[in-house]
Amino acid sequence: LAKTTQPISMDSYEGQEVNITCSHNNIATNDYITWYQQFPSQGPRFIIQGYKTKVTNEVASLFIPADRKSSTLSLPRVSLSDTAVYYCLVGDRRGGGFKTIFGAGTRLFVKA
Amino acid sequence: NAGVTQTPKFQVLKTGQSMTLQCAQDMNHNSMYWYRQDPGMGLRLIYYSASEGTTDKGEVPNGYNVSRLNKREFSLRLESAAPSQTSVYFCASSGLQWEGAPADTQYFGPGTRLTVL
């Protein structure tokens, strides 16, 4: 089961771009990389998912190098409301039911 | 579409008491999960159910039992609560976010805040 390593915390200012990198050295061929966001007193929610290269949606971008041993979540022009914990997960493609390890995540604090 | 619902939202127990946390999803997902989250920590998987009729242990199953009652419902039972089980409990289900998506994503309920005295 691929384990992930992320920075414990990061600080940023409003309007800046934030990049959070996650290491997953033991990622398997069938594993996908998924990022979640969690606000206080709420359950995590999906941000973005990818397999390789770059994925972009209306919220974030996900950069995955060719060896897939790491991935970087990029949040453009953060605002105060982006203050949250961000989790990186790796897991198999479909069918669910796989053991998931969330880890401690990265606490992002955005200042005015 | 309510998504994932959990009851109760809050509960206080005394050591040794038992209780069942209820979870239901209306997204027709096959897989469901129970996590616990201690203050300032990440989520830890207690049990999961890949499909109706199957359950498997996660990282921290001791002191808990689960029942996958049907495709919609997945309950978590504490037989004899201990103060170490004070935590926020999240239920989740997983499925494809859109038709043709490459992998499952998880959808979480609002959580149950449990205190064991």
Side-chain angles (χ1 to χ4, degrees):
Chain A
L1 198 65
K3 198 160 181 179
T4 60
T5 304
Q6 306 173 230
I8 293 174
S9 65
M10 296 180 69
D11 287 346
S12 182
Y13 288 93
E14 280 190 295
Q16 289 188 332
E17 178 184 76
V18 171
N19 296 310
I20 305 174
T21 297
C22 177
S23 297
H24 28 78
N25 291 319
N26 297 323
I27 189 168
T29 302
N30 289 337
D31 283 344
Y32 273 69
I33 300 156
T34 308
W35 284 79
Y36 292 83
Q37 175 190 55
Q38 185 181 26
F39 297 114
S41 302
Q42 295 184 27
R45 65 175 191 177
F46 171 88
I47 302 175
I48 197 165
Q49 184 177 77
Y51 184 77
K52 61 180 178 181
T53 63
K54 177 184 174 182
V55 179
T56 298
N57 62 22
E58 63 278 4
V59 176
S61 295
L62 179 59
F63 299 91
I64 306 169
D67 66 5
R68 304 197 330 119
K69 292 185 184 299
S70 66
S71 59
T72 298
L73 173 73
S74 181
L75 304 171
R77 297 180 299 281
V78 294
S79 65
L80 296 176
S81 61
D82 291 316
T83 294
V85 179
Y86 292 83
Y87 297 97
C88 161
L89 272 75
V90 295
D92 207 344
R93 298 182 61 195
R94 288 188 178 209
F98 50 87
K99 288 186 178 183
T100 50
I101 299 179
F102 267 78
T106 298
R107 292 184 175 276
L108 172 65
F109 186 69
V110 180
K111 305 176 213 177
Chain B
N1 244 7
V4 179
T5 57
Q6 293 182 236
T7 55
K9 286 188 168 49
F10 301 93
Q11 184 71 49
V12 178
L13 294 177
K14 294 181 179 176
T15 297
Q17 287 185 318
S18 62
M19 80 161 295
T20 300
L21 280 63
Q22 307 286 353
C23 174
Q25 53 94 7
D26 61 2
M27 295 175 282
N28 201 35
H29 287 165
N30 286 321
S31 302
M32 298 186 73
Y33 310 78
W34 276 105
Y35 295 89
R36 62 176 286 175
Q37 185 172 38
D38 299 332
M41 308 289 284
L43 286 84
R44 291 186 291 172
L45 183 66
I46 305 172
Y47 271 92
Y48 68 100
S49 170
S51 60
E52 186 179 351
T54 69
T55 60
D56 281 288
K57 295 178 181 179
E59 297 174 78
V60 289
N62 291 343
Y64 305 96
N65 285 303
V66 291
S67 296
R68 184 71 183 267
L69 305 169
N70 47 56
K71 191 171 186 179
R72 290 187 63 249
E73 298 173 290
F74 189 37
S75 63
L76 178 72
R77 183 160 178 82
L78 287 71
E79 289 292 350
S80 178
S84 61
Q85 293 178 304
T86 293
S87 191
V88 179
Y89 291 84
F90 289 104
C91 176
S93 66
S94 69
L96 299 179
Q97 198 182 39
W98 64 91
E99 188 67 35
D104 286 0
T105 58
Q106 294 190 43
Y107 297 81
F108 286 81
T112 294
R113 198 172 293 271
L114 176 67
T115 301
V116 182
L117 303 174

